[in-house]
Amino acid sequence: MFIKEVVGRAGGLPLVLKVWSRHFQQYGREQWPSILETLKGIPHGDVQKQLQMSYDSLTPRLKKLFLDIACFFDGMEKDMVVKVLEDEDLRFFPNNEIQYLVDKSLVEITLDNRLWMHHAIREMGREIVRQENEDEPGQRTRLLDDRDVENVLTECSGATLGAFKKMSNLRLIHFNCSQNNFSHEEMAHLCFKKLKYMCWSQFSFKSLDNIEMCNVVVLQISTSKLETLWEGMKSLKKLRILDVSYSDSLTRTGSFSGLENLEKLYLRNCRNLKELDNSVGDLQKLAILDLSSSIPLERIPWEMISKLASLRELVLGDLDRQLEPDEVNDPLLYSLKKVSITTLKLSGCNISRTSGGVVSLAWLKHLRLWNTSFSSCPDSLLQLHELNTIELWKCYSIRSIPSLPGNITSITAQDCSSLVNLPCNITELKSLTFLYLSRCHKLGAEDPQYFMKITGLTNLSQLTIHDCCVSHVPSEIGNLVSLKDLNLSYNSFSSLPDSLSSLSQLIYLNIDSCQQLRLLPLLPSNLTNILACCFSSLDVMSYLNKVCKESPFGNRFMIQLPWKEEVPDWCSYQNRGDVLSFVAPARLDNNIRGIILCANISEIFSSRIIIPKIYNRTKNASHRFKTYTSHHLTTHWWTRCMCVMCYPLDDTVLMVEPGDNLTVVVELSQGIGT
């Protein structure tokens, strides 16, 4: 009875229930009734107030962290956020506090270690900031709205720079603005002693000399008008990340001697940079150095680079040169031999097939080659026993990939139009989990059995063979028992083998624009996403009719089809526009097991997201279904298409009974049906 009352107060919203359940778990059961009484004071349907109860229970320090994430750091790398916010003087190390917010279901950590907030929770945090002072934005702790920022910066003193000079307590700046062309006299002197993070695109200052920011941790000032970073030396002892990429006016850097804690330095596409100061060798904590499409290779102080004891990733681009066959003759290889480089990304260079010097990079784990002119990778790659990832992008002349070490886990070859052969030992690469082949049109010309060889890689979880002239899919594909993501789009095969149904782990299938494909076989039961757009011949509707009639609604699935003027006849309820209201039909077993949505997406569809929502007006409850982004939709997301989405319904999602009044909303769709 107690649980039902809590569910009723939450309006059946899964997000609210998730946050509330974590809140209840903080207290003993004897306190739960009093918490429920507090919940009863929250108006029905006021999601923000329902969520804010969890925020109100936080300590002042946790509230500050929560608002920082909601206003600035949502979507950013967790490690970077931790570095920005930690404060040794205040003994604040936010790792534990972030985990506490995760435990409260207020924040999530994505698979790539980024902070993520549900949009409703993020908006709740931002509304709390707006409510600090509705009429005077300048009195708030954080400024978010562009108009508020502009008004505060101009009304404060009539000039943007004057306002900045008064903001001595600024901690975080995130600007995308070029309308601030201050004169040299005007900009002396800005004092931001508490500034920890500054991201300022189109930064208009010519140097950083007149900005005092001794506590800054991250400086991201790309596409700037900087001509030099500073004259002489500048002491920024807490700076960890410096990014001045795409700064075309930058000609010199200045000394790095005052940046002893710098970990990442990005000088990408600074095309007029004449030289890199020799003091770069003083950066003993530098782990990542990106000089791609920037300083000429011969002007890089390689002797200083060889002193970077912590260097793990080096990015060089537009080299337009031949790497010598050994490290004695090549300063790049000679320098890298002295550091424990693990990631090397090269663009616009030529590596000889016999470049034995590459084997000297004993710690190399990730090798990316982009837009290179070589016809073969060095045979010595086989001797790089730590190598687990190789990426080849736009290597138009490469004909073959040599044998690779047995612990390789990922191979990418995209736009390698001359590629004929995969590694000779491809069948032995049992650790391989990711294989991405795209627009390699000659693949298989000398070895038609290459696809057959791939089917022996039983640990493969992601396989893409996109636009590679595949005319036959072997039945042995059923051996890929670990496969979760299969992309066979833009190929010429006319059928798929029945063995596809044995891929019990398969979740995502892309057969977009396989124009010769006529019929679909029985597909795996766990498959949830099917992309089958841009077809002229595939009879997918007969398959879909069968699925719609026989599906036990055990899993959600989405299939994308060519756009049609009308939704299918089997949709029981139809309407033009993005809103559809209807009454749930009666069933003999009195059980509504799921809902199938069919939406025609127009050619002006540009948000890349479908957001289906269902409202049960009878039970005063609603549910926002999992959205589909451009990855789940189409590679050509701007074209028209029809999306059919199947969602199971139960009491953990949204209870629907015969006779309930329902409204379905599919945002940004042209016509819907169910």
Side-chain angles (χ1 to χ4, degrees):
M1 190 67 184
F2 178 82
I3 294 177
K4 285 186 177 181
E5 192 167 358
V6 172
V7 172
R9 298 304 310 176
L13 292 173
L15 174 65
V16 175
L17 286 171
K18 183 179 180 181
V19 173
W20 281 5
S21 65
R22 297 297 178 89
H23 183 71
F24 274 101
Q25 290 170 16
Q26 290 184 283
Y27 301 92
R29 286 180 174 268
E30 67 279 1
Q31 294 175 279
W32 288 6
S34 61
I35 297 175
L36 180 58
E37 290 301 314
T38 302
L39 298 180
K40 290 179 180 179
I42 300 175
H44 248 309
D46 192 336
V47 176
Q48 180 185 321
K49 291 295 184 183
Q50 292 171 331
L51 296 173
Q52 189 170 332
M53 182 196 70
S54 187
Y55 167 83
D56 290 338
S57 68
L58 300 176
T59 64
R61 177 179 283 188
L62 282 167
K63 287 180 178 178
K64 182 179 179 181
L65 173 61
F66 172 84
L67 294 179
D68 281 343
I69 296 174
C71 296
F72 291 98
F73 297 126
D74 184 31
M76 293 191 185
E77 293 181 357
K78 176 192 170 188
D79 292 343
M80 187 197 74
V81 176
V82 168
K83 290 173 183 176
V84 169
L85 296 181
E86 66 184 6
D87 191 319
E88 293 185 4
D89 295 335
L90 297 177
R91 305 299 299 167
F92 179 59
F93 304 98
N95 254 320
N96 292 336
E97 281 77 3
I98 289 175
Q99 186 57 49
Y100 184 83
L101 295 179
V102 171
D103 294 340
K104 293 271 288 183
S105 293
L106 294 174
V107 176
E108 293 184 25
I109 309 295
T110 64
L111 292 176
D112 58 350
N113 201 38
R114 292 179 179 272
L115 300 181
W116 182 84
M117 272 188 175
H118 189 283
H119 71 96
I121 294 177
R122 182 181 65 247
E123 287 307 307
M124 179 264 290
R126 295 184 174 189
E127 182 60 26
I128 289 173
V129 171
R130 283 190 285 266
Q131 292 297 325
E132 290 174 350
N133 195 316
E134 292 187 71
D135 300 324
E136 295 291 338
Q139 300 301 313
R140 301 172 191 163
T141 57
R142 299 159 182 85
L143 286 175
L144 304 173
D145 185 82
D146 291 346
R147 290 168 297 182
D148 289 340
V149 172
E150 183 178 358
N151 290 337
V152 169
L153 291 180
T154 54
E155 291 177 4
C156 182
S157 64
T160 304
L161 187 61
F164 265 132
K165 287 184 176 180
K166 296 181 180 181
M167 295 182 178
S168 57
N169 291 320
L170 273 177
R171 296 183 302 119
L172 310 169
I173 298 177
H174 195 134
F175 255 11
N176 184 4
C177 177
S178 60
Q179 305 301 318
N180 46 21
N181 299 310
F182 311 128
S183 68
H184 183 78
E185 293 76 16
E186 285 180 315
M187 54 178 288
H189 168 85
L190 293 178
C191 183
F192 295 144
K193 289 186 177 181
K194 295 185 179 181
L195 187 67
K196 305 291 291 293
Y197 170 89
M198 183 166 78
C199 178
W200 193 328
S201 180
Q202 303 180 65
F203 186 74
S204 67
F205 294 178
K206 293 182 179 181
S207 79
L208 298 171
D209 281 318
N210 294 320
I211 304 179
E212 184 178 349
M213 41 186 173
C214 55
N215 286 302
V216 72
V217 177
V218 174
L219 275 177
Q220 294 177 327
I221 41 181
S222 60
T223 62
S224 74
K225 295 184 179 179
L226 287 171
E227 296 177 359
T228 181
L229 297 180
W230 42 73
E231 296 292 340
M233 188 190 81
K234 190 175 182 68
S235 180
L236 297 172
K237 294 184 178 181
K238 295 186 178 181
L239 187 63
R240 304 285 191 91
I241 300 173
L242 175 60
D243 186 352
V244 291
S245 299
Y246 299 94
S247 297
D248 290 337
S249 300
L250 190 69
T251 58
R252 52 197 176 89
T253 60
S255 174
F256 294 104
S257 298
L259 281 59
E260 57 259 41
N261 289 306
L262 192 67
E263 298 172 358
K264 300 178 182 180
L265 175 58
Y266 299 95
L267 294 165
R268 181 170 55 252
N269 280 84
C270 296
R271 295 188 177 274
N272 291 304
L273 186 61
K274 298 294 190 295
E275 59 185 6
L276 189 65
D277 195 89
N278 283 337
S279 60
V280 69
D282 297 336
L283 302 177
Q284 291 303 296
K285 294 185 179 181
L286 191 68
I288 298 176
L289 176 59
D290 188 343
L291 299 173
S292 55
S293 302
S294 185
I295 187 171
L297 194 69
E298 61 272 11
R299 295 183 183 176
I300 296 177
W302 290 111
E303 185 177 350
M304 298 297 104
I305 298 296
S306 66
K307 295 180 179 181
L308 299 176
S310 300
L311 189 64
R312 296 296 178 266
E313 179 176 326
L314 178 63
V315 186
L316 299 171
D318 290 343
L319 302 183
D320 193 24
R321 68 187 293 274
Q322 170 87 28
L323 291 187
E324 298 297 334
D326 58 71
E327 67 271 16
V328 175
N329 297 314
D330 194 293
L332 188 158
L333 294 175
Y334 179 75
S335 299
L336 297 186
K337 182 182 178 181
K338 293 187 175 184
V339 295
S340 301
I341 195 82
T342 60
T343 299
L344 180 61
K345 301 177 182 180
L346 302 176
S347 173
C349 69
N350 187 8
I351 299 180
S352 168
R353 181 184 178 90
T354 59
S355 289
V358 175
V359 75
S360 65
L361 307 180
W363 300 104
L364 195 65
K365 295 182 178 181
H366 183 181
L367 176 62
R368 175 187 289 180
L369 302 174
W370 180 293
N371 195 24
T372 56
S373 58
F374 59 87
S375 59
S376 296
C377 290
D379 294 332
S380 55
L381 290 182
L382 183 61
Q383 301 176 51
L384 296 177
H385 300 298
E386 296 294 321
L387 189 67
N388 57 46
T389 301
I390 182 169
E391 299 180 45
L392 305 172
W393 299 79
K394 297 186 178 181
C395 299
Y396 299 117
S397 300
I398 188 171
R399 288 182 52 81
S400 62
I401 302 175
S403 294
L404 296 173
N407 61 327
I408 201 88
T409 61
S410 175
I411 299 175
T412 295
Q414 178 164 324
D415 292 307
C416 299
S417 53
S418 298
L419 184 65
V420 174
N421 295 315
L422 294 178
C424 295
N425 65 340
I426 186 72
T427 59
E428 301 171 14
L429 304 180
K430 301 302 182 183
S431 298
L432 195 66
T433 60
F434 181 92
L435 179 58
Y436 186 94
L437 306 171
S438 177
R439 292 188 289 274
C440 301
H441 298 137
K442 293 185 179 180
L443 192 61
E446 295 182 4
D447 184 11
Q449 297 299 310
Y450 83 92
F451 201 153
M452 180 73 76
K453 293 177 180 178
I454 291 174
T455 61
L457 303 173
T458 55
N459 287 317
L460 205 62
S461 62
Q462 289 183 267
L463 173 61
T464 291
I465 308 181
H466 164 79
D467 196 8
C468 292
C469 302
V470 175
S471 59
H472 173 69
V473 180
S475 60
E476 286 79 4
I477 196 172
N479 297 333
L480 300 177
V481 293
S482 302
L483 203 61
K484 296 180 180 180
D485 188 321
L486 177 60
N487 183 347
L488 298 174
S489 58
Y490 286 81
N491 284 300
S492 57
F493 53 84
S494 59
S495 64
L496 289 170
D498 293 337
S499 59
L500 207 65
S501 63
S502 62
L503 301 179
S504 59
Q505 302 297 314
L506 193 65
I507 296 174
Y508 176 70
L509 174 64
N510 186 342
I511 48 175
D512 186 20
S513 295
C514 296
Q515 298 291 350
Q516 305 301 316
L517 187 60
R518 297 290 187 272
L519 295 172
L520 288 176
L522 184 64
L523 296 176
S525 58
N526 283 334
L527 192 65
T528 59
N529 301 282
I530 307 171
L531 178 55
C533 199
C534 301
F535 271 102
S536 59
S537 58
L538 181 63
D539 184 15
V540 74
M541 293 308 297
S542 60
Y543 174 83
L544 193 58
N545 285 333
K546 180 181 179 182
V547 171
C548 293
K549 291 178 181 178
E550 300 180 6
S551 171
F553 287 96
N555 293 286
R556 68 178 183 89
F557 75 83
M558 186 276 292
I559 182 167
Q560 186 173 337
L561 305 169
W563 186 87
K564 294 183 180 296
E565 185 68 31
E566 302 292 338
V567 294
D569 293 338
W570 47 259
C571 290
S572 303
Y573 309 96
Q574 303 182 20
N575 190 33
R576 290 284 176 180
D578 54 9
V579 178
L580 174 64
S581 297
F582 59 97
V583 177
R587 287 182 54 90
L588 292 177
D589 59 3
N590 206 39
N591 183 21
I592 305 295
R593 295 181 296 172
I595 184 170
I596 298 174
L597 308 177
C598 180
N600 277 334
I601 308 301
S602 73
E603 56 195 347
I604 60 171
F605 179 64
S606 60
S607 74
R608 306 190 188 194
I609 296 178
I610 290 182
I611 308 176
K613 298 179 182 178
I614 181 171
Y615 298 87
N616 190 329
R617 304 298 183 187
T618 302
K619 293 182 169 57
N620 194 26
S622 63
H623 179 64
R624 180 178 183 267
F625 291 115
K626 182 172 181 178
T627 59
Y628 292 100
T629 62
S630 56
H631 170 73
H632 295 111
L633 293 175
T634 177
T635 52
H636 302 297
W637 53 265
W638 56 87
T639 59
R640 300 190 297 179
C641 64
M642 175 186 289
C643 288
V644 179
M645 297 154 281
C646 175
Y647 293 97
L649 293 174
D650 55 37
D651 54 1
T652 65
V653 178
L654 183 71
M655 178 63 73
V656 176
E657 296 177 316
D660 286 352
N661 290 300
L662 306 177
T663 296
V664 175
V665 178
V666 180
E667 293 186 6
L668 296 173
S669 62
Q670 180 167 291
I672 63 172
T674 63

